[in-house]
């Protein structure tokens, strides 16, 4: 609970000069220089994060969204203060934005703690930004509302509707297979990402926006309006107004991010056929919120909840279609029997009441289904265990090939994404469609966990018509990807996980029905190989060294160990399901 007797507004978080009076006087002088008078400073201060960057085209509409949040804040009697944080543009950061998710989470957490604000609106969008902000929110002592920049509107090429980035990958695969020439793929390149906004399939950005709403950290209806739309701006204004109310009558993130919130979010994730990346992010957010969420919870809920939303890559449609069908509120209504009706998010209204105000999925639309007539079966996401992943691995079954869900094949091992890039197209590579592509040294410690798990099919096999192969790694894959791709194997190879022991030709068995992933090599041979493993190397300096030395494994959320501690004073981790 917030201490209402504590200093508010500009009097919060005084700079330490050893004289509180002088600190206030000096802060007042600089605020006066910025044009603020006592009337201004009597109002609640609402911090608003600014993640605009020329290196993040997904956030191109953010300035106008921020202006609308500011307008809402002023209308409600608050004082908006915009402050910058890092912006993580998915295709602009090397080796991967995931390496910097925890940095943005740490930066956001510290800037909220260090600066004087009574509530904060965190506006993210591109994949890692919303997870980082939710991780920061989980440990915030002031109210937080999350908003997003919204998704892009679809484009088209030669009469075919296109969206980033499931279609990016599909067309690239066709180009690699020789079906599209250079001129054609260049035309496609200009038609995939046509407006401001985040990828408009159910990739990581759309999944995390939807989960922020399901967790109760976003006002209802905020996940799905497209980035260029008036609905997006109106939601921003409403968010600004609500932030002022929360500053006056606080509801803290740790009161919202309860075990029930995560249970609700897992049902929504399963019904969306959402990104596998969301599993790592939810685990990280939960640890910060002091909630004991595990991969077993992910698998348990996914077994109960069928696929209800028809969006790529699991389905056929795009975010604007989801929005027109009613978005997350209608999905929550469809899932209501499975959700905790008493959960209260930033709206302050219990979920049961929000659901009662919402119509069920309408008969005129075919994007949001009901559990009685789902789009797909239960188990869209599964957690696998076995001798190749003792601490777990994940597979998005809804984006995989049914004929590969039970498969045994010989391994071809790649020691890094770069190694795979060179060798996969080598005509001399002796490989068939039955082989299992194994990628290692791409986990959190080794490489920051890039989205390299969805290895491209060897060009020769793609040209021969092969559409999918089993792929296994300690990497992630983009939420927009598809294929029979086993990800997040833990422990990763760089810390001695069993992926490090695989050799070309070893048999690997995937059995999704049994939730198993096994290396069919005897223990004596594995022990011999383990004794030959080279010593681990760590980056020499900077963030990469800190990250490599302290990051947790994927099954624990890949947060930095010293940031993932349970919230003090809550009597230990809170169980998702007793
Ligand atoms: Fe930004 Fe897909 S690249 S959301």
């Amino acid at each position: 609970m917030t201490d209402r007797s504590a200093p508010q507004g500009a009097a919060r978080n005084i700079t330490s000069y050893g004289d509180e009076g002088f600190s206030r006087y000096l802060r007042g002088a600089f605020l006066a220089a910025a044009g603020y008078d006592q009337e201004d400073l009597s109002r609640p201060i609402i911090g608003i994060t600014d993640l605009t960057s020329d290196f993040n085209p997904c956030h191109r509409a953010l300035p106008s969204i921020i202006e609308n949040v500011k307008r809402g804040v002023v209308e409600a009697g608050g004082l908006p203060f915009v402050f910058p944080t890092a912006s993580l543009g998915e295709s602009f950061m090397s080796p991967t934005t995931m390496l910097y998710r925890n940095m943005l989470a740490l930066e956001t957490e510290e800037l909220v703690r260090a600066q004087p604000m009574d509530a904060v609106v965190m506006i993210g969008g591109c994949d890692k930004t919303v997870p980082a902000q939710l991780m920061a929110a989980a440990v915030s002592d002031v109210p937080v509302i999350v908003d997003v920049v919204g998704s892009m509107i679809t484009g088209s090429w030669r009469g075919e509707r296109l969206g980033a980035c499931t279609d990016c990958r599909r067309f690239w695969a066709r180009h690699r297979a020789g079906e599209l020439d250079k001129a054609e793929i260049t035309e496609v390149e200009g038609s995939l990402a046509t407006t401001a906004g985040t990828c408009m399939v159910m990739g990581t950005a759309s999944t995390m926006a939807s989960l922020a709403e399901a967790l109760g950290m976003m006002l209802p209806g905020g996940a799905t309006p497209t980035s260029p739309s008036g609905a997006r701006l109106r939601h921003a204004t409403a968010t600004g107004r609500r932030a002022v109310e929360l500053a006056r009558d606080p509801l803290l993130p740790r009161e919202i991010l309860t075990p029930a919130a995560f249970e609700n979010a897992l049902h929504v994730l399963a019904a969306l056929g959402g990104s596998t990346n969301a599993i790592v992010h939810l685990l990280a957010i939960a640890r910060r919120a002091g909630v004991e969420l595990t991969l077993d919870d992910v698998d348990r809920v996914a077994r109960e909840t069928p696929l209800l939303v028809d969006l790529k890559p699991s389905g056929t449609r795009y975010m604007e279609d989801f929005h027109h069908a009613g978005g997350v509120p209608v999905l929550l209504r469809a899932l209501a029997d499975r959700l905790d009706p008493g959960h209260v998010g930033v709206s302050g209204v219990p979920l049961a009441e929000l659901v009662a105000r919402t119509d069920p999925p309408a008969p005129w639309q075919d994007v949001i289904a009901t559990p009685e007539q789902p789009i797909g079966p239960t188990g869209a996401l599964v957690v696998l265990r076995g001798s190749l992943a003792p601490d777990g691995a994940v597979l998005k079954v809804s984006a995989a090939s049914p004929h590969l869900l039970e498969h045994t094949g010989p391994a071809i091992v790649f020691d890094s994404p770069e190694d795979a890039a060179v060798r996969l197209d080598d005509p001399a590579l002796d490989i068939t469609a039955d082989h299992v592509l194994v990628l290692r040294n791409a986990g959190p410690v080794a490489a920051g966990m890039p989205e390299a798990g969805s290895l491209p099919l060897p060009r020769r096999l793609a040209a021969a018509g092969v559409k999918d192969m089993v792929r296994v790694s300690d990497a992630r894959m983009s939420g927009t990807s598809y294929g029979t791709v086993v990800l997040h194997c833990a422990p990763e190879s760089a810390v001695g996980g069993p992926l490090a022991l695989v050799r070309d030709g070893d048999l690997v068995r995937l059995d999704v029905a049994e939730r198993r992933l096994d290396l069919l090599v005897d223990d004596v041979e594995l022990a011999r190989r383990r004794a030959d493993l080279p010593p681990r190397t760590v980056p020499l300096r900077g963030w990469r060294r800190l990250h490599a030395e302290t990051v947790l494994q994927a099954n624990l959320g890949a947060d930095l160990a010293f940031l993932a501690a349970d919230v003090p004073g809550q009597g230990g981790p809170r169980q998702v399901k007793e």
Side-chain angles (χ1 to χ4, degrees):
M1 300 293 162
T2 297
D3 176 6
R4 300 302 294 162
S5 63
Q8 305 294 308
R12 281 179 179 269
N13 303 333
I14 282 298
T15 311
S16 177
Y17 291 115
D19 178 343
E20 268 196 32
F22 175 75
S23 298
R24 290 201 179 87
Y25 153 78
L26 198 63
R27 182 173 287 179
F30 282 97
L31 285 166
Y36 296 105
D37 63 16
Q38 289 308 309
E39 163 61 24
D40 289 320
L41 298 176
S42 68
R43 297 161 184 257
I45 293 180
I46 309 300
I48 303 169
T49 62
D50 183 354
L51 282 73
T52 50
S53 166
D54 288 344
F55 292 110
N56 194 346
C58 299
H59 290 191
R60 179 159 61 83
L62 193 47
S64 57
I65 293 168
I66 288 173
E67 282 310 306
N68 276 68
V69 174
K70 288 169 70 176
R71 198 176 77 215
V73 168
V74 171
E75 285 173 1
L79 191 60
F81 268 58
V82 179
F83 64 100
T85 71
S87 186
L88 310 178
E90 197 59 24
S91 53
F92 288 81
M93 298 194 72
S94 176
T96 169
T97 51
M98 185 62 181
L99 180 62
Y100 299 99
R101 180 201 67 177
N102 298 335
M103 187 186 80
L104 174 58
L106 179 56
E107 181 196 27
T108 307
E109 171 187 341
E110 294 296 341
L111 289 178
V112 169
R113 184 176 292 127
Q115 299 178 125
M117 57 190 88
D118 298 299
V120 57
V121 178
M122 297 181 181
I123 313 172
C126 200
D127 292 14
K128 305 305 176 298
T129 55
V130 170
Q133 292 174 331
L134 287 168
M135 290 163 73
V139 292
S140 171
D141 287 325
V142 296
V144 177
I145 303 189
V146 171
D147 196 3
V148 289
V149 298
S151 58
M152 286 183 266
I153 294 173
T154 48
S156 86
W157 182 69
R158 299 189 182 177
E160 185 176 351
R161 198 176 179 207
L162 292 189
C165 246
T166 302
D167 296 322
C168 315
R169 296 172 197 286
R170 187 166 58 85
F171 276 93
W172 187 250
R174 289 180 58 191
H175 174 57
R176 281 178 56 82
E179 295 174 25
L180 262 64
D181 64 21
K182 177 77 178 131
E184 288 170 322
I185 197 69
T186 303
E187 280 181 31
V188 171
E189 185 180 309
S191 309
L192 285 163
T194 51
T195 68
T198 49
C199 294
M200 59 289 232
V201 296
M202 192 47 72
T204 305
S206 302
T207 303
M208 290 310 301
S210 302
L211 295 185
E213 188 173 334
L215 286 166
M217 290 300 297
M218 176 188 284
L219 286 180
T224 56
T226 59
S227 196
S229 68
R232 172 55 56 206
L233 297 178
R234 294 195 298 278
H235 182 83
T237 310
T239 297
R241 291 190 198 114
R242 181 63 186 148
V244 178
E245 292 173 2
L246 286 174
R248 292 188 169 126
D249 186 12
L251 180 62
L252 295 178
R254 72 174 70 105
E255 299 173 83
I256 296 171
L257 295 172
T258 60
F262 287 97
E263 182 84 5
N264 289 351
L266 288 179
H267 283 288
V268 169
L269 176 62
L272 291 171
S275 166
T276 47
N277 290 324
I279 297 172
V280 184
H281 299 322
L282 280 177
L283 293 169
I285 298 159
R287 287 184 79 85
R288 290 201 178 194
V291 172
E292 196 177 274
L293 187 75
T294 69
L295 284 177
D296 291 335
D297 295 309
V298 175
D299 195 69
R300 171 179 54 79
V301 172
R303 283 178 195 255
E304 297 168 11
T305 300
L307 182 68
L308 296 188
V309 178
D310 182 15
L311 253 65
K312 289 186 175 186
S314 299
T316 60
R317 313 293 278 280
Y318 298 91
M319 277 299 271
E320 64 208 64
D321 306 315
F322 186 29
H323 179 66
H324 293 141
V328 174
V330 170
L331 179 61
L332 293 175
R333 167 81 194 237
L335 286 167
D337 290 348
R338 291 165 161 79
L339 307 180
D340 185 321
H343 182 255
V344 176
V346 290
S347 70
V349 180
L351 183 65
E353 204 175 318
L354 291 174
V355 162
R357 293 179 193 171
T358 306
D359 290 331
W364 52 260
Q365 60 81 42
D366 55 4
V367 179
I368 306 174
T370 61
E372 294 72 37
Q373 292 182 298
I375 304 280
T378 58
L381 294 166
V382 298
V383 173
L384 307 165
R385 284 198 171 79
S387 59
L388 252 189
D391 292 339
V394 302
L395 170 67
K396 188 172 186 174
V397 174
S398 58
S401 300
H403 72 281
L404 291 174
L405 297 181
E406 186 180 349
H407 178 83
T408 302
I412 288 205
V413 184
F414 302 96
D415 278 325
S416 67
E418 295 72 27
D419 179 33
V422 170
R423 290 171 53 215
L424 272 172
D425 287 343
D426 182 348
L429 186 67
D430 186 14
I431 190 167
T432 69
D434 283 338
H435 274 87
V436 174
L437 305 179
V438 174
L439 171 67
R440 60 188 171 209
N441 295 318
V445 170
M449 221 180 169
E451 291 184 340
S454 178
L455 289 169
L457 302 185
R459 196 185 293 272
R460 181 164 55 80
L461 294 181
V466 175
K467 300 291 185 209
D468 194 9
M469 293 171 69
V470 174
R471 288 156 270 181
V472 176
S473 75
D474 45 17
R476 297 174 305 116
M477 76 171 181
S478 165
T480 63
S481 297
Y482 52 89
T484 310
V485 185
V486 178
L487 304 154
H488 311 181
C489 286
E492 65 175 291
S493 58
V495 298
L499 276 182
L501 308 178
V502 187
R503 302 239 172 115
D504 283 354
D506 289 349
L507 287 180
V508 173
R509 183 171 63 208
L510 170 66
D511 187 338
V512 171
E514 294 294 322
R515 303 291 198 268
R516 295 288 304 181
L517 177 69
D518 290 294
L519 178 63
L520 306 183
V521 175
D522 67 64
D523 291 345
V524 175
E525 171 62 13
L526 291 180
R528 195 182 62 73
R529 293 180 191 179
R530 183 173 294 285
D532 287 342
L533 287 179
R536 184 179 142 198
T537 57
V538 171
L540 280 179
R541 64 182 301 279
W543 173 256
R544 290 184 184 208
R545 177 168 179 165
L546 178 65
H547 188 275
E549 287 180 342
T550 63
V551 72
L552 297 170
Q553 289 296 291
N555 61 307
L556 302 176
D559 197 359
L560 303 190
F562 62 92
L563 296 172
D566 302 327
V567 176
Q570 293 188 336
R574 297 175 286 174
Q575 302 287 323
V576 167
K577 196 127 182 169
E578 300 292 348

